[in-house]
Amino acid sequence: MTYLAKPRLHHPTLATNKVGYTRRDYEGKISTLCAGCGHDSISAAIIEACWELDIEPHRVAKLSGIGCSSKTPDYFLGASHGFNTVHGRMPSVLTGANLANRDLLYLGVSGDGDSASIGLGQFAHAMRRGVRMAYIVENNGVYGLTKGQFSATADQGSKSKKGVVNTDSPVDLVAMALQLGASYVGRGFSGNKAQLVPLIKGAISHGGAAFIDVISPCVAFNNHPGSTKSYDYVREHNEAVSRIDFISGREEITVDMGPGEVVDVRQHDGTLLRLRSLHPGYDPGDRHAAMAHMQRHQEMGEVVTGLLFVDPLASDLHTALNTSDRPLNALGPAELCPGAEALARLNASLR
Amino acid sequence: MSAVRPPEGAKAPSGGSEAHEVASVGVIPIEAVNDFVIKFANVNGSGSASANELFAKAILRMGVPVSPRNIFPSNIQGLPTWYEVRVTEAGHLGRRGGTDMMVAMNPQTWDADLAELEPGGYLFYDSTRPLPPSKFRDDIRVIGMPLTEICNAVYHDPRQRQLFKNIVYVGALAILLGIEPEVVEKLFGEQYKGKEKLLASNVQALHLGCDFARENLEPLGLRVRRADKVGNRIFVDGNSAAALGCVYGGATVAAWYPITPSSSVAEAFQKYCTKFRVDPATGQHRFAIVQAEDELASIGMVVGAGWNGARAFTATSGPGISLMSEFIGLAYFAEIPVTIIDVQRGGPSTGMPTRTQQADILACAYASHGDTRHVLLFPEDPHECFEQAAAALDLADRLQTPVFLMTDLDIGMNQRLCAPFAWDDSVAYDRGKVMSAEELEAGRDFGRYKDVDGDGIPWRTLPGTHPTKGSYFTRGTTRDAYARYSERGPDYIYNMERLLKKFATAATLVPQPVLHPAAEKTELGVIYFGSTSPAMHEALQALEARGIHLDALRLRAFPFPDSVVQFLARHRQVFVVEQNRDAQMRSLLVNELDIDPARLVRVLHFDGTPITARFIVEAIGTHVHKTQASGAADTKEPA
Ligand SMILES: Cc1ncc(C[n+]2csc(CCOP(=O)(O)OP(=O)(O)O)c2C)c(N)n1
Ligand code: SF4
């Protein structure tokens, strides 16, 4: 989705959200990705989600690793600070940033090479720790930036553009996130914006570690017959579990999901998540069922998309560490330095 | 029960009470007051560490300086471990070398321990099981005490038998050496405050040892006599001191991964934060400590926290530095404050993980790929570990770059006598050039990588500062002065040259070297740094006594300030004393200052033990005599 340079001038009729921003205020630099790259659609979904959530762009910190996907934070939320870190190690940098200032919203963007290969450890441990963030993997099954090598999420038996067959079994990041304790886990498809935007909104509003694996076809290296991450393949095999709408907190309804019903789940920060179950009996409050459901459909050759699991009462690393409400980066010597008198006492105890 | 059993068949006691005297005929036992080395040979995991430390502290409490060293294996239980205490009224805090008395509690190392004793030295051992005469030496005095027998008679629990054996020998040694048992009791009182049962049983064990020694053993030629030579100095290890420096310096985020000998930095930070940084009203913590999954993650968290305006540090050792290198390069290039405490150990690889070295100097100075240079600080003792840890946090913020505190196992894990910690409450933290929302609003030109002040240090903004101004994208790739992605050569060169300028600024901000001029005018100099300090000072005195005069310069930081250049210029030949194989500091001096290598003489100690004064004196003395004899400067490694 390479678009032409657009003037920064705002059309007077552009709609503004509650905090007074237009959609354009959530845009970033012009994308340099291949035309049609799934990653650009995800950027567009992030822009949409942040606008709809009435987030002030500068209150978001966007961090990424290295890869085509990791370049995307430059292409949205131009007024926020971004950080393109090192390959696969975005989660630790985000964790540190989050510890320094708990008042910002953290958006982690990564690729499947970034997160499932070199960064698998950091991905796993950020999930375990419950770092509050929306962690989005733009999953194309290949290394885009280094031109088409298999990534660890590539399905067994799928073919590379050069015709090489992948014999390794794939890493399923959604299954891992579920297993490791992420408290919001979803899977989306870059071509299904209607589903993706609310998924991202839910992740951003979530009070703990939120993970979304977004299937994002690489038009350059992984969009050919034989690939299981191509547009055509995913469209044909998409199996949606739910449609979700995000609404700002007003009414409070308890979670009890029956077939075909609409359920509002109250999240930890008070916001509500509206779930529309398309599957009779699908309960996104059950971690184990989510895994089973996903795996069952996977065996049938289907990609389950939607919000697979959420723990609306999830807490985060700050809660576990009992850190002060005031961000650590805002504390000064008065709060941090015990002072000369305490030091004199300490000296005395060391004699 | 014969109190002291001379080894069977050993030469007959040379008179006196038959049971107590076991010196071999003709041996002149070492006589020394407040100036000797006693070494405890134990088995790791036998609970001897706290007893041995108690012994050292008791002497300290009598006003006599001590300098202890832990020598321990990379193992939890079973392997040999030693604790060496240098009793030194003169206050020499380096290792001296040699042992005057061996407390030989480990049969496994018996032969080596015995061999290490100076002629006329003393061997104290558990004589419960008699040993053949071949197990002793003729030129030492042997003191046997049936420790196992005594403990087995009094204690029934096997663990108590083992643990109290250590306290019993401390009691006996107190009497033998003239340490006042009341001092030890007082230490117990402090240690077991509120734990009366533990206190009582330890005092009892102490007295078991004291009583036995009084009744059965004779005092030794080695004596501890009350003095007034400790002053207000404190006794502390460098890792605790560095951790405390991080607390005082305002570090709020610590991320680490366990590695000897640095783990206790993070553990001490946790301890001090819990003591000093918990909000009394809410119970909330003004700190965040994460034990990361590895060093990549620990430095990553520090980079993230530093980027976001918190003071953050990690503590590690050589292998950790290797893993962190990519991130260190990012922090250097993207200009993010990061503090790394590197407690060096024997390398490369797992080398000698529980032994000391100064062998990460080049790895840290040039960590990561591409052209990089990093600020290193070299504390000489725990006092400076405290001071420089706090300074490192300031420097990192001021310079927006990684700063390394280069300690080592010798300072980090051994308690040292040092000047008390000092803090000036009026000093504010130097947060460096962080542009506020007001400044941005007032229209200050913000270019993240613009050298506005001519010192190479740009301004930064923190995430979330202003709705429309000051945001930028941080990355490891080249950018222009406004942080815009760029692959243009001139942009790259501007950046790289500015980073050099910043490094030159760093040379004016880091701690200056300390000069110790010789008593007489000399053309010879010596450069040293870090934990070598106490051994060096003692060596300088000894060399001076031999008529070898050296001006000594103790480096405290890299980049080298101008005073280092001047020092080198003033001396025909300069010894560079360091604890590694490849003369890394010498290489750094040659490389950075373009100095003629022929003028820098290597003095290298790298067997994993802390360098001794004896070693330095021998190495420099031999070299000076050789060059005097040949009348020419010699650049070869001495000895
Ligand atoms: C330490 C390190 N190793 C290798 C690379 C080269 N590299 C850059 S991007 C990339 C793969 C990116 O793949 P993915 O995360 O799937 O992102 P995509 O480009 O497909 O969106 C690799 C291997 C690097 N930058 N750093
Ligand atoms: S190579 Fe693939 S992943 Fe990279 S920009 Fe092009 S389409 Fe996207």
Side-chain angles (χ1 to χ4, degrees), chain B residues 386-397:
Chain B
F386 171 82
E387 201 172 86
Q388 294 189 2
L393 293 161
D394 265 354
L395 278 170
D397 263 355

Side-chain angles (χ1 to χ4, degrees), chain A residues 58-59 74 78-79 81-82 84 89 93 96-97 106 122 129 321-322 324-325 329 336 339-340 343 347 350-351, chain B residues 61 232 235 248 277 283-287 293 296-297 301 304 308 326 421 423 425 461 464 471-472 474-475:
Chain A
H58 75 291
R59 302 304 294 171
D74 213 8
H81 277 63
N84 207 182
R89 269 65 63 99
V93 181
Y106 291 90
Q122 295 222 335
R129 285 191 187 101
L321 294 176
N322 191 22
S324 79
D325 290 336
N329 73 352
L336 300 177
L343 197 58
N347 278 329
L350 295 170
R351 290 187 179 117
Chain B
R61 286 286 176 92
N232 73 341
F235 190 56
Y248 272 74
R277 290 262 197 84
Q284 289 183 333
H285 296 174
R286 296 175 180 140
F287 60 92
E293 59 269 31
L296 301 174
M301 289 178 201
N308 212 359
E326 187 188 14
F421 301 135
W423 190 258
D425 282 334
T461 54
S471 73
Y472 67 96
T474 307
R475 48 162 74 82

Side-chain angles (χ1 to χ4, degrees), chain A residues 21 29 56 58-59 61-64 70-71 73-74 78-87 89 92-102 104 106 121-123 125-126 129 317 321-326 328-329 331-343 346-351, chain B residues 57 61 231-236 244 247-248 250 252-253 272 275-277 283-294 296-297 300-301 303-305 307-310 326-327 330 334 336 386 420-423 425 428-429 431 461-467 470-476 484-485:
Chain A
Y21 291 92
K29 299 231 166 59
E56 295 179 282
H58 75 291
R59 302 304 294 171
K62 41 184 192 176
L63 294 97
S64 62
S70 290
K71 283 180 165 206
D74 213 8
S80 358
H81 277 63
F83 195 168
N84 207 182
T85 64
V86 295
H87 193 22
R89 269 65 63 99
S92 63
V93 181
L94 191 149
T95 301
N98 182 304
L99 290 175
N101 184 359
R102 62 188 301 170
L104 303 180
Y106 291 90
Q122 295 222 335
F123 160 76
H125 289 277
R129 285 191 187 101
L317 181 60
L321 294 176
N322 191 22
T323 22
S324 79
D325 290 336
R326 271 189 63 208
L328 292 175
N329 73 352
L331 303 178
E335 289 111 329
L336 300 177
C337 183
E341 247 182 72
L343 197 58
L346 228 139
N347 278 329
S349 75
L350 295 170
R351 290 187 179 117
Chain B
K57 232 174 160 185
R61 286 286 176 92
N232 73 341
R233 279 183 286 179
I234 56 172
F235 190 56
V236 66
L244 192 64
V247 173
Y248 272 74
T252 49
V253 176
Y272 289 126
K275 187 176 162 104
F276 293 122
R277 290 262 197 84
Q284 289 183 333
H285 296 174
R286 296 175 180 140
F287 60 92
I289 302 170
V290 179
Q291 185 189 317
E293 59 269 31
D294 54 32
L296 301 174
M301 289 178 201
V303 165
W307 175 73
N308 212 359
E326 187 188 14
F327 260 130
L330 173 73
I336 294 164
F386 171 82
F421 301 135
W423 190 258
D425 282 334
Y429 296 148
R431 299 307 316 261
T461 54
L462 301 182
T465 299
H466 192 282
S471 73
Y472 67 96
F473 205 87
T474 307
R475 48 162 74 82
R484 290 175 300 219
Y485 177 83

Side-chain angles (χ1 to χ4, degrees), chain B residues 106-116 134-135:
Chain B
N106 187 355
Q108 218 186 322
T109 57
W110 180 275
D111 293 340
D113 293 340
L114 190 72
E116 210 180 279
S134 61
K135 283 291 186 188

